[in-house]
Amino acid sequence: MLQKSALIAALAFALGFTGPAEALGPQFDSAATRTVPASYPAKNPSLDADPNEGAKEVTIGVINVNEPGYRSEFISPTLIQLSRALPSYHFRVLEIPAYQSASVIAGHRPDFVIGPSDIFYTLTNSLGAQALATRKTVWAKDGGYSVGSAVVVRSDRKDLESIQDLKGKSVAASLPDSLGGWLALAGYLKQAGYDPKTFFSRVSYRTFEYPDVMENVVDGKTDAGVLTACELEAAEKAGLIETGVLRVVSPHADSLLQCRHTTALYPDNVFGALNFTRPELVKAVSVALLTMPDQRSFSWQVAGQLNTVGDLYKTLGMGPFAPKPLTFKDVLIKYRWIFAGVALLIFILVMNEMRLRTLVRKRTSDLTAALSENERLSENEREARTKLSVLERNSLVSHLSSMIAHELKQPLATIMNYCEVMSLTLEDLSPSNPTLEKATDAVNREAHRMTDIVDRVRGYAREKKSAHKPVDLASVVTAAVENFRHYEEYRKYSPELLISAVPGAVISGDPLELEILLINLMKNAARAMKSETRRPLQVSVRTVDQYVFLSVEDAGPKLDDKNFRRLTEASDSTDPAGLGLGLGIVRGIADAHGALMTVKHAEPHGVIFEFRFDRVNETPEPDPAIHPESNPNPTSEPSTGAADE
């Protein structure tokens, strides 16, 4: 078992130099052998004291390691050899913490450095250090292959025969930056395809391999321990632990090292110079080291094999191979293909989105067009049904009108006969009564006019065309306006009339039908202008080349598109009280006279009905029907109009 008393004595021996200061030689300043923090001044009077007048001072930085006998068996003999070989130099020691080695060396600028090969390798990259010699222990055949890791377990653990058996187990190690105590094993696991961070279930880092790591394994606190190669043999030889209590897992069998070890081997401690050390001093110290007699436990040889440490650092991604903090530019360069792929994917997605939106817009447009077309067809169908209904009603009214006209024929003939009898009777009266005679003539004339209208209605029902003759359209307008003054619409709304008719506007037509056309339009205009008093109802006749234009313009309200369209088509009346026959009669008369009817908006509101007739170069015959006398009885009831709808 572990001999703690012997271990404590060995540790006390290892942590200090053996013998008095004089044993180090007259040129070695033992007072300078102390731990120097990073903030320790580069120049200190107590350290700069030169016991030998004229001696040149040389500073040697010693990187602290947790190795038993490191000072007494390694550092002291080396310094004594240098002092004896180079008596003209005064050597002083600058102790350097391992975790601050680079910063302390950069601040204090020692001439030489002694330390583990892994730490020295980092100095070669950061401070330009140059290896002069490598320590070779008595256990090693070559100083370049002296340090490795030995994974130890209790000998009674038969379940732990190889490194693979330790997966998921607990392990104790000295320090995470120790080459033999952990780094060599971490590199071994990495090369075997394992992740050192997850291979073990728990890693317990201890300060010393003696006694901490060994105690953890022996007491069963951890399944295994990591020791620097040859530390187990040294402890067994010194009697610090019974031989056979611990064994090495997966030991290497080679002639490079007499000790059992699990991992590959790396260089031992290195003695090196810095890039600012004087060349003649480097030469003198190198010769002194390489000519130093072999010591009891070590000797110096030419430095080499630091490349194996570099390979280990590269495998573990440490030191100069540690990942550097990535800048934005580094990220762009490193992941440029990923970014390019993402950008391409985004571009494809954007283009696809644009394509989908284009398709959606096109489909929406097509659907909207289809719906609009369906609505248009539905509207056309409704209009067709409306027109058919109007035509059916007009046909019915036409038949009724024919029947009524037939029935009115006999009463009108009777009225005219009575008028003849009254005229004969009045001739025999003495004295004569002019008023009664005039009234009798007016009744007779209106009865004849009504008879003509009835004949026209019956002619329309039988589709019999009337005979046309040359007619002065200005005379027709005058007669129509005069008769319009007797209608209810004129009496009720009293529109202002503005008549403009040029003489000589002769067309071929029927005077009575043209008068009916005008009276219907003026009646409709008067109803539309019932609230308008600022603008007159205008009727005009004008000639342009071979055409005669007749127009009727009202100042009624502004019509929307739907109602305006109904004026030009066979449909219901725009007047809620109308039957929709007035405009039908107007269209029929215009068509019978070969006239082109146009309906337009008036400005700022109202409607203009314009008819274009062909002009004829003939003299119109006088027609008493279109030159009626004034109404002899202005107080009589207003006519509803035989020409009304």
Side-chain angles (χ1 to χ4, degrees):
M1 298 298 290
L2 194 63
Q3 305 296 324
K4 291 189 177 180
S5 59
L7 178 60
I8 294 173
L11 288 174
F13 174 81
L15 293 175
F17 289 107
T18 59
E22 292 77 8
L24 298 179
Q27 282 76 31
F28 178 65
D29 184 2
S30 62
T33 307
R34 64 192 68 182
T35 301
V36 180
S39 60
Y40 196 90
K43 298 295 182 179
N44 189 307
S46 63
L47 297 181
D48 294 338
D50 190 355
N52 298 322
E53 187 68 27
K56 298 178 181 179
E57 183 179 85
V58 176
T59 302
I60 299 177
V62 177
I63 300 175
N64 293 329
V65 295
N66 295 328
E67 178 184 328
Y70 185 73
R71 298 176 182 277
S72 60
E73 297 183 9
F74 173 49
I75 299 298
S76 295
T78 300
L79 294 176
I80 292 173
Q81 167 64 18
L82 293 176
S83 298
R84 290 175 178 174
L86 303 171
S88 60
Y89 292 96
H90 170 64
F91 295 92
R92 59 188 294 270
V93 173
L94 174 67
E95 294 196 13
I96 303 173
Y99 64 92
Q100 291 181 317
S101 57
S103 60
V104 172
I105 292 172
H108 292 270
R109 297 173 64 87
D111 299 294
F112 299 95
V113 174
I114 302 176
S117 59
D118 57 322
I119 297 178
F120 192 86
Y121 178 79
T122 62
L123 299 178
T124 62
N125 290 276
S126 60
L127 298 176
Q130 301 175 6
L132 302 179
T134 302
R135 183 181 72 167
K136 184 185 79 69
T137 64
V138 295
W139 306 95
K141 184 177 181 180
D142 185 347
Y145 301 97
S146 299
V147 179
S149 295
V151 181
V152 298
V153 297
R154 284 172 45 173
S155 298
D156 57 356
R157 292 292 300 269
K158 302 301 181 182
D159 57 323
L160 304 177
E161 296 294 336
S162 64
I163 290 294
Q164 289 76 11
D165 296 334
L166 292 174
K167 183 174 177 60
K169 306 297 183 181
S170 60
V171 67
S174 58
L175 294 173
D177 58 353
S178 172
L179 178 59
W182 174 253
L183 294 181
L185 176 61
Y188 176 84
L189 294 175
K190 191 77 172 181
Q191 291 176 347
Y194 300 108
D195 185 358
K197 297 179 181 179
T198 60
F199 183 80
F200 298 105
S201 62
R202 177 173 57 89
V203 178
S204 178
Y205 292 107
R206 317 301 298 173
T207 304
F208 301 101
E209 295 181 3
Y210 298 118
D212 299 340
V213 174
M214 291 186 181
E215 273 191 349
N216 272 263
V217 179
V218 172
D219 294 343
K221 295 179 181 179
T222 57
D223 297 299
V226 183
L227 302 176
T228 302
C230 298
E231 293 298 329
L232 178 60
E233 286 80 0
E236 291 176 343
K237 184 177 180 180
L240 301 178
I241 186 173
E242 294 181 7
T243 303
V245 172
L246 300 177
R247 61 181 174 85
V248 177
V249 176
S250 300
H252 272 65
D254 54 47
S255 59
L256 295 176
L257 192 64
Q258 299 178 23
C259 306
R260 292 162 291 176
H261 56 96
T262 304
T263 68
L265 299 175
Y266 301 92
D268 203 339
N269 282 266
V270 175
F271 191 110
L274 282 304
N275 58 356
F276 43 76
T277 306
R278 300 186 302 276
E280 65 276 10
L281 181 59
V282 172
K283 179 180 178 181
V285 171
S286 298
V287 172
L289 285 177
L290 296 177
T291 58
M292 177 179 176
D294 293 346
Q295 301 298 305
R296 181 173 60 87
S297 61
F298 79 98
S299 63
W300 288 104
Q301 69 175 39
V302 177
Q305 308 304 328
L306 282 181
N307 61 303
T308 57
V309 178
D311 294 339
L312 175 63
Y313 272 29
K314 186 175 182 180
T315 300
L316 297 176
M318 296 176 57
F321 303 101
K324 298 179 180 179
L326 293 178
T327 63
F328 181 72
K329 181 178 180 181
D330 295 334
V331 172
L332 288 179
I333 295 175
K334 183 175 181 179
Y335 301 104
R336 59 185 181 277
W337 296 114
I338 296 178
F339 288 139
V342 171
L344 179 61
L345 179 60
I346 293 175
F347 176 76
I348 293 174
L349 292 177
V350 170
M351 295 303 295
N352 184 61
E353 180 68 18
M354 294 177 62
R355 183 183 68 86
L356 291 178
R357 291 190 178 185
T358 302
L359 289 176
V360 169
R361 284 196 298 267
K362 185 177 183 302
R363 297 290 175 83
T364 303
S365 177
D366 294 343
L367 181 59
T368 303
L371 292 175
S372 300
E373 180 65 16
N374 288 338
E375 291 179 358
R376 187 185 66 80
L377 294 176
S378 299
E379 182 66 22
N380 291 343
E381 183 181 357
R382 285 193 297 270
E383 292 178 357
R385 287 198 300 267
T386 302
K387 291 179 180 179
L388 180 61
S389 175
V390 171
L391 292 175
E392 290 176 350
R393 186 172 68 240
N394 289 347
S395 177
L396 177 61
V397 172
S398 177
H399 287 294
L400 292 175
S401 299
S402 178
M403 294 172 60
I404 294 172
H406 177 74
E407 296 299 327
L408 288 176
K409 189 73 174 176
Q410 184 62 35
L412 289 174
T414 302
I415 291 173
M416 288 187 291
N417 289 334
Y418 277 113
C419 287
E420 290 294 333
V421 172
M422 288 183 65
S423 296
L424 294 175
T425 302
L426 289 174
E427 290 178 358
D428 295 337
L429 289 178
S430 180
S432 62
N433 190 337
T435 302
L436 188 58
E437 291 177 356
K438 190 174 183 179
T440 301
D441 290 341
V443 171
N444 188 34
R445 185 174 62 253
E446 290 299 325
H448 279 84
R449 187 167 180 271
M450 291 178 64
T451 300
D452 290 340
I453 293 174
V454 168
D455 290 339
R456 291 293 188 278
V457 171
R458 296 183 67 188
Y460 285 138
R462 295 193 300 268
E463 297 183 356
K464 180 181 178 181
K465 294 183 179 180
S466 60
H468 290 180
K469 59 184 179 180
V471 178
D472 186 353
L473 199 55
S475 300
V476 174
V477 169
T478 302
V481 169
E482 187 64 28
N483 284 319
F484 173 64
R485 296 180 188 277
H486 303 302
Y487 278 81
E488 180 184 6
E489 285 77 8
Y490 182 80
R491 295 287 186 88
K492 184 176 182 180
Y493 303 116
S494 301
E496 180 185 353
L497 299 177
L498 179 60
I499 310 302
S500 174
V502 297
V506 181
I507 64 172
S508 177
D510 184 279
L512 182 59
E513 291 182 359
L514 294 172
E515 184 180 341
I516 292 173
L517 179 147
L518 276 169
I519 290 175
N520 270 282
L521 291 177
M522 287 189 289
K523 287 168 59 181
N524 289 339
R527 285 193 293 267
M529 295 173 57
K530 56 186 176 182
S531 60
E532 176 62 45
T533 59
R534 292 173 297 177
R535 291 172 55 194
L537 191 162
Q538 303 181 51
V539 180
S540 65
V541 176
R542 57 190 175 88
T543 60
V544 178
D545 298 332
Q546 72 273 24
Y547 298 111
V548 176
F549 290 90
L550 169 66
S551 63
V552 178
E553 178 179 348
D554 65 55
K558 188 175 182 64
L559 297 179
D560 56 24
D561 293 340
K562 181 178 180 181
N563 285 325
F564 182 79
R565 188 170 60 252
R566 291 170 63 184
L567 292 176
T568 61
E569 300 174 354
S571 62
D572 291 334
S573 174
T574 57
D575 185 355
L579 295 176
L581 300 178
L583 291 179
I585 294 174
V586 170
R587 292 190 195 93
I589 295 175
D591 291 341
H593 286 75
L596 175 64
M597 185 180 79
T598 305
V599 184
K600 300 182 292 184
H601 285 288
E603 294 297 336
H605 51 80
V607 177
I608 300 175
F609 283 86
E610 186 176 73
F611 302 87
R612 190 190 71 184
F613 298 92
D614 292 330
R615 187 177 183 182
V616 297
N617 295 321
E618 299 182 24
T619 302
E621 298 178 3
D623 189 347
I626 62 174
H627 297 284
E629 297 178 6
S630 299
N631 191 343
N633 187 15
T635 61
S636 61
E637 290 297 324
S639 171
T640 58
D644 194 4
E645 60 186 51

